[in-house]
Amino acid sequence: MSAEYATFGLAPAMRAGGVLANGDYQAHRDFVDFIVDGRPLLYQLSDLDAVSPLASDVPPAIFIAQVQSLLLEADPPLEGGRYVIYGCPECEDLACGAVTAVIDRHGDDYVWRDFAWQTDEHPDLERNGYHGLGPFRFHGDEYRAALGSLLADAGGARRRVLLIGTRAAVLAKLAAALRIIGIGADITRDAAGVPPDELRTYGAVAFGRAVTEQQRADVRHSFEQAGVDVAYVEGLAPIVPLLVAQIENALDRSPREQRRLTRLVAADGEAGVEVTSPCRVQLTAYRLDRLYRTHMHEVFDGVLEAGRHRLPLDTKATRGESFIVARTSGSVLVEAMAH
């Protein structure tokens, strides 16, 4: 086998969901991504909106079966010894398209080769192959140790967000939007008396703007007493899509150095954005007028190359109290507009 050795690892990743500008919902998916030679393999596939088969929201038995499949402890799911590496984040149906590869053994080594975009049982490698990607040869011990570590964590509790605020209507709409995209949400006035085991199911706590400092301190104390480390979200405004984006960013467990969208600043009529690989970036502005009505504007939607970019913003969309949401397929950032 002529493939050179590559390092193999795993890292938490997120497919950003949310309430989109046109009113549609996009599912939030937490998954484990493959790290090849220190870089997410997904980022080597251009701007692909997909997740690995190691998703956190699949039943434990299916998750374990996926790990065992990648370890070649089960028959390949597709003809020709092919395995799904990335699939559709909404339905995971092969008909929507998937990145597949042949996985086989060479002595103690594992080799991933012949990557292709596949929509039926028989991929066309000449037309739809990822030429220049792979083959990757992984040391068996490193490969088995990385995937084997997932089996001990399989079946863990799904993470949720705890919503605390005074505007019941906004909280109800926010909870409904989060649940639709796949994030569990509960509403309460405080966390006093909640058993520690239940507190451990939360990955974030979101405070509304009217929650007092004392109430926030009491909630933090409850989590500290239970030994639970959560992310705290200070709600910027009672705008549901904006709050959803803030919560998704707080729930992102992927290492910062391996994220696609790493920087967002908004000031003086422009947005500063930094991305680590070529990808589609969408910027949406949300504004509250003097009557606290919400106005939404799409201010940018395009593919950016890796690096830092300065993007002009429509001054009408960002006057007064306004906020910018930057979104890629795997990351979302939120900033208040500085004037």
Side-chain angles (χ1 to χ4, degrees):
M1 184 71 188
S2 59
E4 295 182 0
Y5 280 106
T7 62
F8 181 86
L10 302 168
M14 178 185 78
R15 188 271 190 150
V19 183
L20 304 182
N22 62 3
D24 290 343
Y25 290 89
Q26 181 172 283
H28 172 100
R29 302 293 302 279
D30 290 307
F31 64 100
V32 177
D33 199 6
F34 308 110
I35 309 300
V36 177
D37 284 337
R39 186 165 179 258
L41 182 60
L42 184 59
Y43 293 1
Q44 300 184 46
L45 300 170
S46 187
D47 187 34
L48 182 66
D49 183 15
V51 299
S52 81
L54 305 175
S56 65
D57 56 351
V58 300
I62 295 179
F63 185 91
I64 291 172
Q66 295 285 9
V67 174
Q68 292 174 334
S69 178
L70 293 172
L71 288 168
L72 304 186
E73 295 175 0
D75 293 334
L78 302 173
E79 292 184 9
R82 303 192 71 83
Y83 295 78
V84 174
I85 306 301
Y86 296 106
C88 173
E90 298 289 343
C91 67
E92 301 182 53
D93 191 330
L94 185 61
C96 291
V99 177
T100 67
V102 174
I103 301 179
D104 53 23
R105 292 279 297 272
H106 289 260
D108 194 47
D109 300 335
Y110 290 78
V111 176
W112 290 17
R113 59 179 175 84
D114 297 337
F115 289 84
W117 179 254
Q118 187 169 347
T119 56
D120 54 37
E121 294 300 321
H122 305 286
D124 186 339
L125 294 181
E126 184 64 31
R127 181 177 181 180
N128 296 320
Y130 285 96
H131 306 293
L133 182 66
F136 300 115
R137 183 168 187 158
F138 306 116
H139 288 286
D141 289 346
E142 179 183 59
Y143 185 88
R144 286 189 294 270
L147 288 169
S149 67
L150 298 177
L151 298 177
D153 297 330
R158 190 173 178 184
R159 304 301 285 253
R160 299 179 291 168
V161 59
L162 189 62
L163 308 178
I164 300 177
T166 60
R167 302 185 63 171
V170 173
L171 293 176
K173 291 179 181 179
L174 176 58
L178 289 168
R179 291 167 188 155
I180 286 175
I181 68 172
I183 298 175
D186 298 306
I187 300 171
T188 187
R189 296 188 66 87
D190 60 62
V194 179
D197 285 346
E198 184 172 344
L199 292 180
R200 292 189 183 96
T201 67
Y202 294 104
V205 176
F207 296 113
R209 295 202 292 187
V211 178
T212 67
E213 286 301 322
Q214 184 59 53
Q215 289 173 312
R216 296 167 196 247
D218 291 342
V219 170
R220 289 190 175 96
H221 180 71
S222 295
F223 278 90
E224 289 170 1
Q225 288 292 100
V228 181
D229 183 22
V230 296
Y232 293 99
V233 178
E234 307 290 340
L236 289 173
I239 302 172
V240 169
L242 181 71
L243 294 171
V244 169
Q246 280 192 266
I247 290 168
E248 283 212 283
N249 179 44
L251 290 174
D252 190 350
R253 299 180 299 116
S254 61
R256 289 190 176 276
E257 66 275 11
Q258 292 174 359
R259 297 182 188 181
R260 177 167 272 167
L261 177 62
T262 57
R263 177 177 178 267
L264 170 66
V265 294
D268 302 324
E270 66 179 22
V273 176
E274 183 173 10
V275 293
T276 58
S277 64
C279 60
R280 179 187 179 192
V281 176
Q282 298 168 289
L283 298 183
T284 306
Y286 296 93
R287 179 174 64 87
L288 288 175
D289 63 20
R290 286 178 292 181
L291 299 178
Y292 290 94
R293 295 172 299 191
T294 301
H295 301 267
M296 181 275 298
H297 300 273
E298 290 187 31
V299 293
F300 179 80
D301 187 347
V303 176
L304 298 179
E305 295 298 318
R308 291 191 174 188
H309 304 268
R310 297 171 64 178
L311 306 172
L313 301 175
D314 185 345
T315 55
K316 292 182 180 180
T318 57
R319 66 180 183 270
E321 187 178 17
S322 55
F323 313 89
I324 301 296
V325 174
R327 182 182 299 279
T328 69
S329 61
S331 308
V332 59
L333 292 176
V334 182
E335 281 293 329
M337 189 72 192
H339 295 279

